[in-house]
Every structure is written in C-alpha cells, then in structure tokens.
Amino acid sequence: MSTMQMTGAEMVVQALVDQGVEHLFGYPGGAVLPIYDAIFQQERLRHVLVRHEQGAVHAAEGYARSTGKVGCVLVTSGPGATNAVTGLTDALMDSIPLVCITGQVPTHLIGSDAFQEADTVGITRHCTKHNYLVKRIEDLPRILHEAFLIASSGRPGPVVIDVPKDIQFKTGTYFKPTENIHKTYRPRLDGDMDKVRAAVALIAGAKKPVFYTGGGVVNAGPRASALLRDLAKLTGYPVTSTLMGLGAFPAADPQWLGMLGMHGTYEANWAMHECDVMINIGARFDDRITGRIDAFAPNSRKIHIDIDPSSINKNVKADIGIVGDAAHVLEQMLSVWRESKPAVDKAALKAWWDEINHWRARKSLAYRRSDTVIKPQYAIERLYQLTKDRDPYITTEVGQHQMWAAQHFHFQDPNRWMTSGGLGTMGYGLPAAIGAQMAHPKSLVIDIAGEASILMNMQEMSTAVQYRLPVKVFILNNEYMGMVRQWQELLHGGRYSESYSEALPDFVKLAEAYGGVGIRCSNPAELDDAIREMIDTPRPVIFDCVVDKTENCFPMIPSGKAHNEMILGDAAEDIGSIIDAKGKQLV
C-alpha cells in the first residue's frame, strides 16, 4: 500500500484517477473550489462542465449505463447538492452505480446556517445507497475508495461523499488500498445450491413457463446476458422483459415476446397471466409490471433471482427466492441443467407456444398509418431502420415517446438502452445522451424525446456544443404532455387539465441559438431523408418531428388492473375476447 502526503482536494482527484475514472461531470461553486483547483493542475481526469447539477447526475448515469463503469459527479454545497437529488433518486430507483462528491461548508460552520449550507447527508439519506460526511482528513482516502466498492457491488446505486471545505485544504496521508474489501458489506454472488436445484427442477417440470427478466441482468454485465440466452435456448422457453431489461435478450429472437407491463405486448402480458412457472431474473415486481397484485399471474409458481435480499418477497411472494448475482446464478442453473439433463414436456411446451402465437397474431403494436401526418410509431420505426446498422445508443425522456421507443426500437444487445424507469424523470434523456456520447465519442447517440420533457434540461445543449458532442435529439412533437393527455382522455372524461404544451419554442431556431443544428419534418414522405440528414450531421442536432397530436400509446393496462384487462388500439387484429380503446368488448 503506497502512501504520500497531499491535500484533501488532491486526494479526491488522485482517488478518482486510481479508480480508473476518466470523466467527471460537474459544476463548480465556492465549497468545491479547492477540488477544482486540483483538477486544473492535472491532465489525467477530464471534467465535463454541465449547466445544471441534475444534468450532471443524469450524464453520469448515461455514462455508467452505457459502459458498465461507475459514473462520477462533483457539485458544490447547498443548492448544488439539492439540485442533484432528483438524479440521485433516479439512480437509486434504477440501480445505477454513481459516486457523487459534494462540497460542504467548513466543519466548524456546520449547523450554523452558513452561506450555501444544507444538510446534504440528511437530505440524501433516502435517495442514496450510502452516504458520508467526512469529518477527518485521515478518513478521506478510505471513504473515497470504499464509495466505489459500495456503488458498484451488490445491487448498484449512488453514493454521496460530503466533503467540508476545510477538509479539502488540510494535508494528510493518502493511500490506495491494495485490496478494496469492506469490513461488513459482502453482497452474496452465488445462489444457494439447494434452491438452485429446486428451481431447475421446477423449471423443467413447467407446462407454461416464462422467463421474466429485468435490469438486474443488464447490471450483471454482458456475461449475464449471454448466459440468459444460453438458458433460453437450452429450454426453448419464452422470454419477456421489463423496460429496464431491454437488450438483455435479443428482440430479433423468436423466443422474445417483447416488453411486458403497462405498455407491454399482448402476448407478453397474457403469457405472464397464464403461466404456471415464472422465472424472475433481476426484476423487482414493481407496480408497472404487476398491475393488480391479487390478480397477478394467479396460477403460477414463482422463482425470484435478485442480488438484493430485500427485493425477495417484498411485493410478490416467491415460491423459490434465490439471492445472488444474475450472472452467477444463471451459470449455476445452466450447470445443474446440463448435469441433470431434465426431460422437458415437449408436447406441453408446443401447446404453450401455440397459445402464445395465437396471442401474437393479435398484433398488439399495430397502428393506423397515414400519408398526411407522421404517426409517432412510424417515426420510431423509421428511426430504427435507418440507424440499426450503426448500433446506436438510445436514451429517452419520459412519456408516450418513451413507451413508443421501447415498443418499436428493437434492442439486440445490453447497455444500448438508457431510460428513466423507476422514477420516470422528465429531462433525463439529453444529459444521459451527453454522458453516453462522452463515453463513446465515435458512436451514434440519440435522445428520443417529447417536446415537453426536453425542455426540462434543454440547457444541456450548451454542454453538447461546448464539448463538440454530436448527440441527436429526436423530438416527437405532439404539442401535448402526451401521456398525461392520454390518461385524461381515457380515465378522466377527456378533461385536458393543463396538459397542452402552449408557447413552445421554435426548436430549429433554439438549436441554432445554442450553436447546434435544427431540423423539422412534418411530412411522412420526407421523414427518411430528414433522418439521414440528422445522422450525417457531425454536430449536435435537434430534430423537431411533428407527429399526430391525438395518437395514444397502446397496448395499455390501466392503473390497478390485471394483465388480462388490457386496452388495445383499434388497429390490432381481432382474434378473441379483448377490450378495445373505448372499453368495448369486441368478442
């Protein structure tokens, strides 16, 4: 363990470098000026100046989710720290590994209501995985390295380190641990073998099985996704995914049923409802997936694999709960399966696939096409077809456009899809795209946005322009807070209370004002050429895609309803008993 004398500010920079950090997203202020001075005097760590601290955290999230590394943030005390709270909560909900360093007033002023003082540890206690207030220079090196361990191991999440200004000035002994092991925090990676064997036996005996996969598979790394694909092929069972798990299993695979949940496909939701064995890998049974808990997969036995012990039996009781990392447990399951060579009921599995294919024939994602107005689904389809060969990174804001992107942009690999799932944060997409573009400077990065959401963090266009990041903002502009309007139409009698986006900017002129490029398209016949122009432009682009103002996002499970109570659009094909968009029984 090598040691050296340095200031607290220098320790912060050195620890980041020692942890392999290359990019730090932040915004300076008085309480972190010593750290910024230390950044100025070195060349190994690159700072990225955002325009708002929320943008800094979302950018770090995009960086983390597209690379699998820990995202890093630096903000000042008081409003700097409080502005970061939304991003930290977002990262906690979606299990994103972050280390956020906040400045604090000097230790002797803490509690005196000093200028730009806030109780950062108290405020962030419930929106972080762990947080620290550094009171002694002797503790700073350990805390800095420990934070990365906590953020990235077990169920990933954000960690805050609150560093008072006097600690930044003090001199102490810096050290980098030769072995970064926490005394008490030891997340379990391997599953209990007895439970793994019981799970394999239950899976092998299933008549109507389904794999229900979530963001935990993506968080467990590319190996977990590869093992999931191996297990699916070995069993021949259908696979579905949450919003956060898209890409863990290839959308082009015939065993893929699409996304499940509130705006999931008909076949995915009915498979979940009718299954007899559900294998949940890295998902947490949240309300957007389960709908009405007492009617959720009522005839199924449930296997739940999750690295977070508190997730097991929290929302839905599991028949077999396995605590462990998705990659490790999947490897164990594959080993047991290959060793035991269980006999799958092929006749039952064929009958199950016949039933699933009957649901597939419903074509629940179908929509009415138009030659005169751009349908939002069509815009996403064309964007996908024209960019898929570029293997793009896709971020989104939150709303209808987010769900259309999840439905119609088909992801074949993990870490290409970045969206705010748990918190549903409008304004997430642009800064997240900046983070992903910073990590992958030669890749195509697109933020699929709504005209309302994009305005939440539009100021980050300055960051994109300053660092010459060619991010593309693809706005589905329907002049409404679309998802709010949809719920008001379907569930509140068409009373559109404050959901119309009045006084919108001219997005083309706005892009140009920032120093970027603006493109507008409202004609379906011109859409492909406009998208190609966007792709080929080597600068930040805002694409104002003017779409049908009244189009709704279907399928949809109304809040509090079960999977077999879906609403489908009127373009879906009638093959059985189902409720249409107006609540009318079709058969």
Side-chain angles (χ1 to χ4, degrees), residues 261-263 269 289 291 555-563 565-567:
M262 181 169 281
H263 292 285
N269 282 327
I289 298 300
M556 175 182 174
I557 302 175
S559 183
K561 299 293 185 178
H563 283 175
E565 298 177 277
M566 296 179 71
I567 300 174

Side-chain angles (χ1 to χ4, degrees), residues 478-510:
N478 59 11
E479 297 184 5
Y480 277 97
M481 299 174 203
M483 194 62 81
V484 174
R485 184 202 57 75
Q486 176 170 334
W487 280 51
Q488 288 173 336
E489 176 185 330
L490 299 178
L491 307 175
H492 296 278
R495 294 179 291 278
Y496 303 121
S497 177
E498 302 299 325
S499 56
Y500 181 62
S501 298
E502 295 190 70
L504 286 171
D506 181 324
F507 285 108
V508 172
K509 289 182 179 178
L510 186 60

Side-chain angles (χ1 to χ4, degrees), residues 208 269-276 297-299 352 355 359 564:
K208 297 182 174 184
N269 282 327
W270 270 93
M272 289 285 282
H273 184 74
E274 293 292 319
C275 72
D276 68 341
N299 301 312
W352 179 227
E355 195 169 1
W359 294 326
N564 62 339

